[in-house]
């Protein structure tokens, strides 16, 4: 399977978002960490077969906003 440059760049953005979300989840309280990681993974898996580039861009933007809110929430809680 050969990816076009655009597909390659989108894939890289998705993987970067996933890694960033997992990194932030490490700061969550220990009792919530496993559930949070499971939610992150489930969100990615639910959209794994999406081929609509516009939808993928929307999902990336939405994911970035959700990760930002999670980061801010953990900051406010002192984690």
């Amino acid at each position: 399977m050969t990816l076009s440059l655009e597909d390659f760049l989108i894939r890289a953005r998705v993987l970067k978002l996933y890694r960033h979300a997992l990194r932030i989840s490490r700061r969550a309280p220990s009792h919530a960490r496993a559930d949070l990681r499971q939610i992150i993974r489930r969100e990615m898996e639910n959209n794994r077969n999406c081929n609509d580039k516009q939808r993928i861009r929307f999902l990336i933007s939405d994911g970035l906003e959700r990760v930002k809110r999670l980061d801010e929430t953990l900051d406010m809680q002192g984690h």
Side-chain angles (χ1 to χ4, degrees):
M1 177 178 100
T2 303
L3 295 176
S4 69
L5 177 60
E6 183 181 14
D7 291 340
F8 177 80
L9 294 174
I10 289 173
R11 182 176 185 271
R13 289 181 64 202
V14 170
L15 291 173
K16 181 179 178 180
L17 172 62
Y18 182 62
R19 286 190 305 267
H20 185 58
L22 289 178
R23 265 188 236 107
I24 289 176
S25 74
R26 291 183 204 148
R27 294 181 25 226
S30 58
H31 66 277
R33 203 171 293 146
D35 289 338
L36 184 55
R37 286 185 182 149
Q38 186 177 21
I39 290 167
I40 292 167
R41 179 163 178 102
R42 188 174 344 126
E43 287 290 324
M44 292 300 221
E45 287 292 332
N46 286 344
N47 296 295
R48 180 181 204 142
N49 295 319
C50 180
N51 293 319
D52 181 358
K53 289 182 173 103
Q54 186 174 358
R55 172 101 175 119
I56 294 169
R57 286 186 190 99
F58 168 78
L59 291 167
I60 291 170
S61 294
D62 184 53
L64 288 169
E65 282 298 316
R66 292 169 71 180
V67 167
K68 181 180 174 185
R69 284 194 311 268
L70 174 61
D71 190 32
E72 291 169 353
T73 301
L74 291 172
D75 280 345
M76 286 190 292
Q77 293 176 352
H79 295 286

